Amino acid sequence: MRPKLWCDVCCNLSLDIARKAELTPGFNNRHQNSGYYASRFETGYQIDCECQFIKESQSSGCEFCRFLAEVIEAFIPNPTINGDSISLYLREDRTCIYFFPSNPDTIHGRTNFQGLADIYRPIDSVPPQSTSAYAHIPALPDIKPPYSEESFNYLKTCLKICTETHKLCKQDLSSPPKRLLHIGVLGDDSARLYETPDGFQEPYIALSYCWGRGNVLKTESSNIQSLMQGFSLKQLPAAVQDVAHITQKLGLKYLWVDALCIIQDSKMDWEEQAAKMCSIYEKAYLTIIASSSDAANVSFLNHCARPMTFRYRVPDKPDIILVARAECKNGHHFDSSGAIGNPVVPDPTISRGWTLQESILPTRAISYSTDELQWHCRSIRSCECRGTANDQQVANLLAGQSQLETLRQWDKLVRIYTQRQLSYPEDKFPAISGISQLVHKQTGWRYLAGLWEDHLIYQLLWERDSFHPFFEETDTSIPSTYRAPSFSWASVECPVITFTAGPNAPEEGEILYEDARLVHSEILLSGPDPFGRVEPGSSLTMEGRLMQDVELHGPTEGSYATYYVQLGGKDLTFEADIQLETFCFTGSNGILQRSPRRSTRHTDEGIIELESETMVSVFLLAHVRNADGTGTQYFLFLGASPSNYNAYERLGILMMGLIPEEGYNWVDFDDIPVQRIRLL
């Protein structure tokens, strides 16, 4: 006889009981015609069934099924009979439920929830050494509003642990920012702009936030003297008032906010301070990230949205509370791949360019995310929900890793960065210059307009991300004014796939052989920051084999920037960085020539057909060749530069897989002499 001490539907939400149940006959599918199926996986058990079956099974007297039935009613308020279903996960580290409503529509203002929810007991309601029948349910903290004392105590606890125990998070307080805001004690709303003297080593808070479009107080040449004499905190936008309040509660006196600590209408001061971003955020005692605010005039402390939650007090046991809470999906949990579940609108700071380095450079930071508070420092990452951070988010460049791993992390960050937006396109390099400085400091590599000279062939193999879920490829453009040379990923306005962080990198055991080399580079800087803005004329001189006069056709039907080309006797498709157009020029031999170039015309004006006899040049960059004859050749497609017909501009790359039995053979460049070319 099967024991009656546990429910054969939900296993009392217990991993231990699920292990016992697995030993009984019919464990996997003991409830016919209910959609019920139980299975074991590596870290626990999964129980799938229809929601209606759970509701019916509560009549058996199982208090856990009764709880689940009420959770289902709360999360799926518009049920359909025999249509909605759940998956229940019983794991060592987590008990959770996934909802699959058959109708995701909103009815009478109520929307069915699709996604994952954690089941837990509030940690502040669990008595010490609890031995109740519910003791196996994980104990987790509730997520309180960001203005609450509970949230502030979470911040103070993280700070205390970090400053007292983390060796990796020790700081050098020398070389502070040029200016800081000096604020009064809690309850005092006075502030003044303060120029730090020599020897200043006081701790300060730094703010990372979205400016937005509103007109907010900022330092300019006309008001800097007035701001240094003093002003009221009430004159500041809401997000800055919030961070000033937190600074006061922590007992600190100094605050760094870019809009006020940089003279915004002084090109010289702006460039000098932008070049110090790495140091400013690295040496801040704490960086506060206003992740939930989409503008400076939006408070993040008064942001009250929290994950959907259902609380249940067990009948006849009023001291026992069970909670189902929707999984936190924002901040460091955010999955940019567009996974199944309710559409997630990312934190505003996740979509902005400047805030990427402002989240990576700090020694320690607290993010006021849409769902919860999230902490990260050089030693740990944590959050109020205690969930796992998504590895697609911020990489750790301070882990003392190998140079190859640093390169992979850089490529990963560039891929993330190019998915973000900038209010001013010309900030593309300044907004990531702090990270560039950090990589240079760690490796000694030389920076070339977004690429690293020491790994240049790898760095040149970036490509446009044609299938990014949040970006239409037809929105790809090039900035209206010069921002970067064509060989740099920063020359196009679209998400890119960097080589070591993409699917086309050599597999383990494969060796990338370089077929070209850098002879000379000339990067023309527009200011004092070697990692900042660059000027037209920036170039690379490369040496390698160049196949000229290869005819390009297209684009292919219904495509944005995919073209036909014949190489090695095979018709291939080539994905350009951006839509191309034909232009004519007279070469040095006096003959009229047609070359493709990057087009500034938007696709709203129509797809551009290349003219006949439009010729590209194909530059062999590298290859992988395996013992079985397979491999890959990597080509850079070039067109004549419209600004200098004797130089080239990048059009895109082609990665050609070598599969001899299918007729894809090696493209022979051996008879082509090595020559030097200049890329603009």
Side-chain angles (χ1 to χ4, degrees):
M1 291 288 293
R2 187 172 66 250
K4 298 296 184 181
L5 298 177
W6 46 267
C7 173
D8 62 6
V9 175
C10 70
C11 295
N12 292 21
L13 304 182
S14 168
L15 179 60
D16 287 338
I17 290 178
R19 291 186 178 119
K20 296 176 183 177
E22 186 182 17
L23 302 177
T24 63
F27 167 71
N28 296 111
N29 190 17
R30 61 164 53 102
H31 301 283
Q32 300 294 327
N33 303 319
S34 64
Y36 186 94
Y37 189 81
S39 58
R40 178 163 55 90
F41 57 96
E42 186 176 356
T43 58
Y45 291 82
Q46 176 177 337
I47 299 172
D48 303 319
C49 68
E50 295 175 359
C51 293
Q52 188 63 29
F53 181 64
I54 290 287
K55 294 177 182 179
E56 293 170 356
S57 70
Q58 65 178 310
S59 61
S60 66
C62 174
E63 194 56 55
F64 296 97
C65 281
R66 183 175 176 181
F67 163 66
L68 290 176
E70 295 206 23
V71 169
I72 290 169
E73 188 172 332
F75 278 75
I76 305 181
N78 308 310
T80 56
I81 297 177
N82 299 324
D84 309 317
S85 63
I86 62 166
S87 289
L88 186 64
Y89 298 95
L90 310 177
R91 298 175 7 187
E92 291 281 3
D93 61 334
R94 190 177 189 188
T95 301
C96 49
I97 182 172
Y98 202 106
F99 299 91
F100 296 95
S102 60
N103 177 15
D105 297 334
T106 299
I107 301 175
H108 302 305
R110 302 187 304 176
T111 303
N112 287 341
F113 177 83
Q114 178 175 337
L116 199 65
D118 283 294
I119 295 172
Y120 68 94
R121 294 172 299 152
I123 202 165
D124 56 4
S125 71
V126 178
Q129 299 178 336
S130 173
T131 58
S132 75
Y134 300 84
H136 60 279
I137 305 294
L140 294 173
D142 287 325
I143 299 176
K144 301 292 186 179
Y147 57 78
S148 67
E149 281 303 308
E150 290 89 346
S151 290
F152 183 67
N153 288 336
Y154 171 78
L155 165 58
K156 287 199 301 182
T157 299
C158 291
L159 259 176
K160 180 178 174 62
I161 292 171
C162 182
T163 55
E164 293 181 2
T165 67
H166 293 169
K167 293 181 180 179
L168 285 176
C169 300
K170 300 301 180 185
Q171 292 175 290
D172 171 15
L173 297 181
S174 62
S175 303
K178 184 176 182 179
R179 303 178 192 91
L180 291 167
L181 289 182
H182 182 283
I183 58 178
V185 298
L186 192 63
D188 181 356
D189 76 345
S190 64
R192 63 187 174 93
L193 189 62
Y194 175 78
E195 289 197 353
T196 56
D198 292 342
F200 180 91
Q201 291 196 357
E202 292 286 328
Y204 63 92
I205 302 290
L207 174 64
S208 172
Y209 66 116
C210 298
W211 275 42
R213 294 291 184 182
N215 186 21
V216 299
L217 180 66
K218 55 181 179 287
T219 298
E220 296 179 327
S221 303
S222 60
N223 68 353
I224 185 170
Q225 293 303 320
S226 172
L227 294 176
M228 292 181 71
Q229 292 173 10
F231 58 94
S232 170
L233 289 175
K234 295 176 181 177
Q235 295 177 249
L236 298 175
V240 183
Q241 289 189 46
D242 286 348
V243 77
H245 177 71
I246 296 170
T247 302
Q248 291 174 325
K249 287 192 72 172
L250 289 172
L252 301 179
K253 297 183 293 184
Y254 296 99
L255 174 61
W256 188 88
V257 181
D258 56 358
L260 294 159
C261 297
I262 300 174
I263 304 174
Q264 296 299 317
D265 61 349
S266 168
K267 183 175 185 291
M268 179 181 296
D269 191 68
W270 191 94
E271 290 181 343
E272 285 178 356
Q273 301 310 307
K276 296 177 181 178
M277 288 295 185
C278 182
S279 173
I280 288 171
Y281 282 100
E282 192 175 22
K283 295 185 177 183
Y285 176 71
L286 173 70
T287 294
I288 294 175
I289 306 173
S291 301
S292 63
S293 299
D294 61 1
N297 56 14
V298 177
S299 169
F300 61 86
L301 284 182
N302 290 324
H303 173 85
C304 295
R306 283 298 183 255
M308 181 179 178
T309 301
F310 173 77
R311 300 177 73 83
Y312 176 84
R313 196 175 292 274
V314 177
D316 302 325
K317 298 179 179 66
D319 58 326
I320 297 178
I321 299 172
L322 302 180
V323 179
R325 182 179 64 211
E327 179 185 40
C328 291
K329 285 192 169 185
N330 233 311
H332 68 206
H333 303 298
F334 181 67
D335 182 359
S336 62
S337 65
I340 296 174
N342 284 346
V344 179
V345 177
D347 284 340
T349 53
I350 286 181
S351 64
R352 305 305 302 170
W354 278 97
T355 54
L356 177 64
Q357 69 173 11
E358 293 167 6
S359 65
I360 291 175
L361 298 174
T363 299
R364 60 184 72 91
I366 188 80
S367 170
Y368 283 76
S369 181
T370 301
D371 295 334
E372 59 174 347
L373 268 64
Q374 298 175 351
W375 169 272
H376 71 265
C377 62
R378 292 181 181 175
S379 301
I380 63 168
R381 303 173 83 179
S382 71
C383 54
E384 290 182 290
C385 79
R386 300 190 180 179
T388 303
N390 183 349
D391 189 50
Q392 292 183 22
Q393 292 306 309
V394 176
N396 184 2
L397 287 171
L398 297 166
Q401 57 217 356
S402 68
Q403 290 204 354
L404 180 58
E405 184 56 31
T406 298
L407 182 67
R408 290 194 183 107
Q409 293 285 37
W410 166 263
D411 277 359
K412 177 180 176 181
L413 287 170
V414 168
R415 189 170 183 179
I416 293 171
Y417 180 59
T418 58
Q419 299 169 16
R420 298 182 173 217
Q421 306 299 312
L422 291 165
S423 297
Y424 303 99
E426 63 270 23
D427 288 349
K428 198 74 167 185
F429 287 139
I432 200 173
S433 70
I435 298 175
S436 306
Q437 290 177 47
L438 186 60
V439 173
H440 172 72
K441 186 166 66 174
Q442 290 184 184
T443 64
W445 297 341
R446 184 163 176 256
Y447 186 73
L448 303 174
L451 312 181
W452 296 104
E453 179 182 313
D454 303 66
H455 302 277
L456 185 61
I457 300 302
Y458 281 81
Q459 295 281 275
L460 287 170
L461 290 170
W462 60 268
E463 57 185 320
R464 171 172 55 87
D465 187 351
S466 304
F467 302 104
H468 193 275
F470 302 142
F471 191 90
E472 295 291 336
E473 65 172 354
T474 51
D475 289 335
T476 303
S477 61
I478 54 177
S480 56
T481 57
Y482 182 90
R483 184 173 72 190
S486 67
F487 54 79
S488 171
W489 48 264
S491 64
V492 293
E493 206 68 87
C494 68
V496 304
I497 300 173
T498 40
F499 186 53
T500 66
N504 295 312
E507 297 179 1
E508 187 175 351
E510 292 184 333
I511 300 174
L512 184 77
Y513 297 96
E514 298 181 358
D515 295 301
R517 71 179 187 92
L518 177 69
V519 176
H520 176 70
S521 63
E522 185 177 20
I523 305 299
L524 307 177
L525 301 173
S526 61
D529 185 1
F531 307 97
R533 294 171 181 159
V534 301
E535 296 288 341
S538 297
S539 67
L540 301 179
T541 300
M542 304 287 294
E543 189 174 82
R545 291 180 165 84
L546 183 73
M547 182 183 292
Q548 296 178 302
D549 297 329
V550 177
E551 188 168 3
L552 195 65
H553 305 274
T556 60
E557 184 176 355
S559 76
Y560 161 68
T562 305
Y563 299 88
Y564 298 112
V565 68
Q566 189 174 80
L567 276 180
K570 280 287 186 180
D571 292 324
L572 305 173
T573 56
F574 157 64
E575 290 274 354
D577 295 335
I578 191 169
Q579 184 172 218
L580 305 177
E581 62 187 13
T582 301
F583 82 100
C584 300
F585 66 97
T586 302
S588 56
N589 56 6
I591 298 174
L592 185 68
Q593 299 180 40
R594 291 185 176 90
S595 174
R597 66 180 177 191
R598 295 173 165 192
S599 176
T600 58
R601 196 169 86 175
H602 196 273
T603 50
D604 289 346
E605 302 173 52
I607 300 296
I608 304 170
E609 291 285 340
L610 294 179
E611 298 177 15
S612 62
E613 298 183 356
T614 297
M615 301 297 183
V616 296
S617 296
V618 181
F619 190 60
L620 178 62
L621 279 178
H623 72 274
V624 170
R625 196 163 197 171
N626 303 316
D628 61 0
T630 62
T632 307
Q633 283 183 295
Y634 301 89
F635 305 107
L636 189 61
F637 274 49
L638 306 172
S641 171
S643 62
N644 182 345
Y645 303 152
N646 294 319
Y648 294 91
E649 76 169 3
R650 173 190 158 121
L651 305 175
I653 61 169
L654 175 66
M655 302 181 189
M656 179 179 172
L658 307 174
I659 312 174
E661 61 268 24
E662 295 182 14
Y664 290 92
N665 296 306
W666 202 261
V667 180
D668 189 3
F669 273 66
D670 291 344
D671 293 335
I672 299 175
V674 173
Q675 65 181 90
R676 291 186 177 182
I677 62 169
R678 187 165 176 247
L679 303 180
L680 296 177

